[in-house]
Amino acid sequence: MADLTHGAVDSLLGVLSAAIKDEAQLLGGVKGDIQFIKDEMDSMNGFLLHLTKSGDDHDDQQRAWMKQVRDIAYIAQDCIELYMRDLAPPDAGFWPQLRHAVVLLRTLPARRRLATRIRDLKVRVRDVGERRQRYGVTVPVVTRGRPAAVLGGKTAGELSTPLVDMDAGEASFENAIALLPEEIKSVTKAIQTALAEGQHEMDQDSSTSTICMEMLLRTLHVSPQGQGRVSKEELDNLRAASGSDSGADLPKQVMVLCYRKLSRDHKSCLQYLTAFLEEKSISRTSLVRRWAAERLVAKDDDKQSYEQAAEMCFGDLLFRGFISPADRGAAGKVKSCEMRDLVKKFVSEISKSENFEGSQLPAHLDNQLRIRHMVAKQQKIKHKEPDQQALQDHGICGLLPIPGKEDDRSVSAADRKKLEKSIDKQLNHLRSLPRTYRLNVMDLGGCRGLKKRHLKTISKLVTLKYLSLRNADVSGLPSQIQALQLLETLDIRQTKIHGPDTKRIGLRKLKHLLAGDKNPSSDGEPICTVRMPANISKMTDMEVLSHVEISHGNELSEVGGLKKLRKLGVLLPGREQDIKDLRREISKMAGRLRSLSIWIKKGTLSDAASLDNGESDGTFVTPVKLESLSINGMGTSGLPSWVAADLTSCLSKITLCDTNLTAQKLENVVSRLPGLLCLRLRRGSYKEDALAFRAVGFRALRFLLLEGAGITKLTFEENSGPRIEKIVWSMMMNADGAARASATGLEHLPGLKQLVLPEGAIAKHPKSHVIVIRRP
């Protein structure tokens, strides 16, 4: 618990330091109060550091005091962030400075109220500091064991192959133990034996001992840092426990040891998952952004973002076995995760214990769970027997089906009232919370019955950093959304929020604006999305902008100036000047752009428009760090030639639709990309009906997806695509057309594991281990 409290105080100290630097902007007296809070928190932080080093066995007085410190740290950070949000320096020029002065005058009463709250916090901080001395909260003696040796000092990220193959069973454990240094091999082997014997004696699930042993081995093999090192004495204690009366609890003791070796960031992020104990799966991207919004992770330096730190934490928890892959994307990256039942139970218990909450979850996790329960109950109202496959497709969890156009019509008036009442009940609960309570994250993904009045209420939750309305039946954003000045993620994908709804958004802290009414598909329907915000140039923290509609070149020029932007998705006219403007802005972002998605409005493409134009004059700079490229609607100009010229190492995923790619360009450009892992060809992306993979091409390709591309013959020569693992082939044609489809040369693909074919297509000579699936 000490390290979690330490993390909260560390985060507060960063905010306090930044606020003190802007002392000229502070009202009289506030600077002194903030300085006092900072000094007191500095002293408490040192004490917490000692508690962290002493281990996790803290008495009730220490735990109660740490909970008080953590609560104050959260409240103080929110107050100061809100106080400082309107004090950002204005742009140069008379009118921007005048507008800034008006904002300062308008927010003066609110800042005075916050100043009063900060003064009250000063008194509370003083009381908590004195309470530690009054009740004799002291630092226990630190006991240090001799560190156990580790495998080559490698970190989780540096281990390229799994240490434990769950499918290989005991043999895999033997191999992993053999890699350990001699001094701990016998102890580890004894623990493995005790876990297996205890499993039979207690009639436990066979997976219990396997999971615990897997996690222990991974903990031993990860390079330790500070308190993360496993001591020889700790391993001996585990072995001794296996022969005592408490031996039946050995799996839990093993998991406690693995948990104790996590950093404070890892523990915070893991405990956050207790809000999703009933979810089928959890989206990686959404989870990482939520961790970042909650500030559960700390940045190593100013160059690292909170999201990058959270991404590293996700990878480490995945490696250590606390979370497991639930779904992988086309390029093989884990897209969603899950917690095994044994881990779920352990994390739930440890969270309640460490947060000193008895049998209840901490307030911030309990409220997240309330929101998710509300949405889940709505689904039971709408879908008496929900489609299980659809339940797996939603973003943050596996509870919510993606709504179709007929969904709203299928809800009766009585059910609609129930949906609205459920939202009212949840918002009333949030309004009843103490004024000092902070809510950083609100995920209303899949929520039905949302009205503008609900969004106006949500806009009063000014501490929000993450708001997801994805798949909700909301039709617009209220002007009050501007009050969410701390918002970092706004997800309005698959909603009816279109056109100018985002035009006047001026959220300066916004990092992720995610829009568009549908995912790119092969059905030929145009994408509908929102307009580019008019103040986009002032959103200097923007990292992901996808997908937004651009109507003229001036909007594009503002996008190119966003220094942190790494993912861009645009819908724009196909006029020659528009494409030229796009090329210019791609050049500006060449050194930082990781993902680029280009949609051309249907029926607007000019014959002269090309992503290749202007290359010979030396003005175009290739985005050499680009990892993912999607092009929809570029017609005959298709894939630009600079893809093969410079994107030789980073580009791993290409998606094409309506690009009329020729067989020659496929062979001369695409097949030569050494890092290409995933190729997705959609409707109109390929000119011919036969697709042939020649020898020595596509050396890294693992996933091939043909979605309505009109291809009827697929051929693989020897030594072509040696690493292809999965092929998904679907067609937009009648049964006769599908019956003419054939795939030959499959015997030349040694890595092929799964082949999905349209019903009636012929697959010749796939190897015996290949799973063949037929889809109508």
Side-chain angles (χ1 to χ4, degrees), residues 586-764:
I586 292 174
S587 294
K588 290 181 182 178
M589 299 180 285
R592 57 183 183 274
L593 203 58
R594 298 293 196 277
S595 175
L596 176 62
S597 177
I598 302 169
W599 280 66
I600 303 300
K601 290 182 181 178
K602 199 167 184 179
T604 66
L605 185 66
S606 166
D607 291 339
S610 173
L611 288 170
D612 276 328
N613 284 351
E615 185 178 358
S616 59
D617 61 12
T619 59
F620 180 73
V621 181
T622 304
V624 292
K625 294 185 178 180
L626 200 64
E627 299 170 3
S628 175
L629 176 63
S630 176
I631 300 177
N632 188 316
M634 278 306 297
T636 55
S637 65
L639 194 68
S641 58
W642 45 261
V643 168
D646 295 290
L647 300 180
T648 56
S649 57
C650 294
L651 191 59
S652 61
K653 182 178 179 181
I654 292 179
T655 301
L656 301 175
C657 183
D658 286 331
T659 52
N660 293 314
L661 192 69
T662 63
Q664 183 179 6
K665 201 159 196 176
L666 180 74
E667 183 174 354
N668 294 341
V669 178
V670 183
S671 72
R672 298 177 186 271
L673 293 171
L676 187 64
L677 299 176
C678 174
L679 175 62
R680 177 171 283 169
L681 300 178
R682 289 179 163 146
R683 171 187 45 81
S685 60
Y686 188 68
K687 272 189 173 183
E688 303 171 32
D689 58 2
L691 176 60
F693 283 70
R694 308 296 182 191
V696 196
F698 296 100
R699 306 304 296 170
L701 192 68
R702 294 185 180 182
F703 302 91
L704 174 64
L705 297 97
L706 309 174
E707 302 171 350
I711 297 168
T712 59
K713 186 176 182 180
L714 189 59
T715 305
F716 295 92
E717 294 184 356
E718 191 173 359
N719 295 322
S720 65
R723 302 181 67 181
I724 293 179
E725 298 176 6
K726 183 176 181 179
I727 300 174
V728 178
W729 190 5
S730 60
M731 295 182 173
M732 295 182 64
M733 58 177 63
N734 55 34
D736 292 338
R740 294 196 301 270
S742 65
T744 60
L746 296 173
E747 68 275 14
H748 300 315
L749 304 178
L752 186 63
K753 298 176 182 178
Q754 189 178 65
L755 177 63
V756 181
L757 295 172
E759 192 69 42
I762 299 172
K764 296 183 179 179

Side-chain angles (χ1 to χ4, degrees), residues 54-311:
S54 70
D56 291 332
D57 297 326
H58 306 124
D59 61 36
D60 288 348
Q61 286 184 336
Q62 291 167 344
R63 288 153 62 84
W65 181 80
M66 286 187 286
K67 183 177 183 297
Q68 293 165 5
V69 172
R70 187 166 56 177
D71 289 345
I72 288 181
Y74 286 150
I75 295 168
Q77 180 171 338
D78 287 337
C79 282
I80 294 167
E81 283 184 341
L82 289 171
Y83 184 87
M84 300 299 295
R85 66 178 176 177
D86 295 320
L87 301 181
D91 298 331
F94 173 75
W95 290 112
Q97 293 190 29
L98 179 61
R99 283 194 295 269
H100 184 64
V102 171
V103 169
L104 290 179
L105 287 173
R106 189 178 68 246
T107 59
L108 184 59
R111 283 186 290 120
R112 287 193 181 279
R113 289 193 294 270
L114 285 169
T116 301
R117 289 174 62 184
I118 291 172
R119 193 170 298 117
D120 293 340
L121 280 170
K122 172 185 173 181
V123 176
R124 287 186 62 183
V125 169
R126 181 190 288 119
D127 288 345
V128 171
E130 293 173 351
R131 194 172 293 125
R132 180 176 70 83
Q133 298 176 348
R134 189 183 311 138
Y135 293 102
V137 180
T138 57
V139 181
V141 177
V142 179
T143 57
R144 301 184 184 277
R146 182 165 57 89
V150 293
L151 180 67
K154 291 185 177 180
T155 64
E158 293 170 337
L159 289 165
S160 57
T161 56
L163 290 165
V164 181
D165 180 1
M166 295 291 287
D167 295 329
E170 294 295 320
S172 180
F173 288 140
E174 295 296 334
N175 294 336
I177 293 174
L179 295 173
L180 294 171
E182 290 298 328
E183 68 177 276
I184 61 172
K185 282 183 180 178
S186 59
V187 184
T188 309
K189 181 64 178 174
I191 294 171
Q192 179 195 4
T193 302
L195 282 169
E197 291 176 350
Q199 163 194 311
H200 295 300
E201 291 176 5
M202 300 301 296
D203 195 25
Q204 294 172 333
D205 189 324
S206 61
S207 64
T208 298
S209 62
T210 305
I211 292 172
C212 291
M213 196 62 203
E214 173 202 12
M215 294 176 71
L216 178 61
L217 287 171
R218 288 175 180 271
T219 298
L220 289 172
H221 283 83
V222 174
S223 175
Q225 297 179 3
Q227 288 302 109
R229 185 180 288 270
V230 180
S231 69
K232 181 67 163 55
E233 284 75 6
E234 286 172 314
L235 291 175
D236 288 335
N237 289 339
L238 274 182
R239 179 171 59 176
S242 65
S244 66
D245 293 338
S246 62
D249 206 23
L250 183 60
K252 183 176 180 180
Q253 294 183 49
V254 170
M255 295 182 75
V256 168
L257 174 63
C258 296
Y259 176 81
R260 285 180 175 177
K261 300 311 165 185
L262 297 175
S263 70
R264 69 167 186 251
D265 291 0
H266 288 66
K267 291 178 181 178
S268 297
C269 292
L270 186 61
Q271 289 188 20
Y272 192 81
L273 290 174
T274 56
F276 310 107
L277 293 178
E278 298 182 14
E279 312 289 11
K280 189 175 181 67
S281 63
I282 307 170
S283 162
R284 176 183 191 144
T285 303
S286 296
L287 184 60
V288 164
R289 287 174 182 163
R290 293 173 73 131
W291 285 345
E294 297 278 15
R295 297 297 189 264
L296 299 181
V297 292
K299 299 186 294 183
D300 290 339
D301 52 54
D302 291 338
K303 294 182 179 179
Q304 187 185 44
S305 68
Y306 283 107
E307 189 172 346
Q308 288 171 329
E311 187 65 52

